[in-house]
Amino acid sequence: QVQLVESGGGLVQAGGSLRLSCAASGRTFSSGSMGWFRQAPGKEREFVAAINWRGGSAYYGESVKGRFTISRDNAKNTVYLQMNSLKPEDTAVYYCAASRSGSYYAGRGYDYWGQGTQVTVSS
């Protein structure tokens, strides 16, 4: 079984930056993918970014392209989300997820989820 723990959320002003981390324990990620999703109050869960564990191919939601960067450290079983040029509409709870099958865009393709970390961007 896999446990995912997010960290790095907080309150920032518009235009600022945050770096989220997601540490996985209970297994090693030799394949599959890891991703970030977010959910704001009253809104559907939204795909943010994903990365293939082996090859490192990255995928992004349209709303964050050019501003967010996903990366991973295989040795640490950790995935990161560098968020730059933050906007108030980025405010949400951000969730880390892991997929055994290597899914990217759909939340249903992920097998494990973290507890979430709050990101709040003030205007």
Side-chain angles (χ1 to χ4, degrees):
Q1 192 167 12
V2 173
Q3 293 81 45
L4 304 175
V5 180
E6 302 98 331
S7 61
L11 173 64
V12 297
Q13 295 184 28
S17 298
L18 282 174
R19 186 192 188 217
L20 305 183
S21 298
C22 175
S25 62
R27 66 178 293 270
T28 58
F29 288 87
S30 60
S31 61
S33 61
M34 295 185 70
W36 291 94
F37 292 78
R38 67 187 184 186
Q39 189 164 24
K43 300 185 69 175
E44 297 288 333
R45 181 178 59 193
E46 179 186 16
F47 170 76
V48 176
I51 189 166
N52 177 270
W53 195 248
R54 287 185 173 178
S57 299
Y59 306 87
Y60 297 95
E62 291 185 0
S63 64
V64 306
K65 287 180 179 178
R67 299 188 297 120
F68 292 10
T69 302
I70 188 171
S71 61
R72 86 274 196 256
D73 186 331
N74 299 65
K76 296 180 179 180
N77 284 330
T78 299
V79 65
Y80 306 94
L81 185 68
Q82 179 66 46
M83 305 185 295
N84 298 326
S85 301
L86 284 163
K87 305 174 181 179
E89 52 262 44
D90 295 318
T91 296
V93 177
Y94 284 70
Y95 297 92
C96 176
S99 171
R100 296 192 305 267
S101 64
S103 297
Y104 297 106
Y105 303 109
R108 62 180 178 271
Y110 289 80
D111 305 292
Y112 308 99
W113 294 82
Q115 81 290 343
T117 185
Q118 177 71 47
V119 172
T120 302
V121 184
S122 62
S123 59

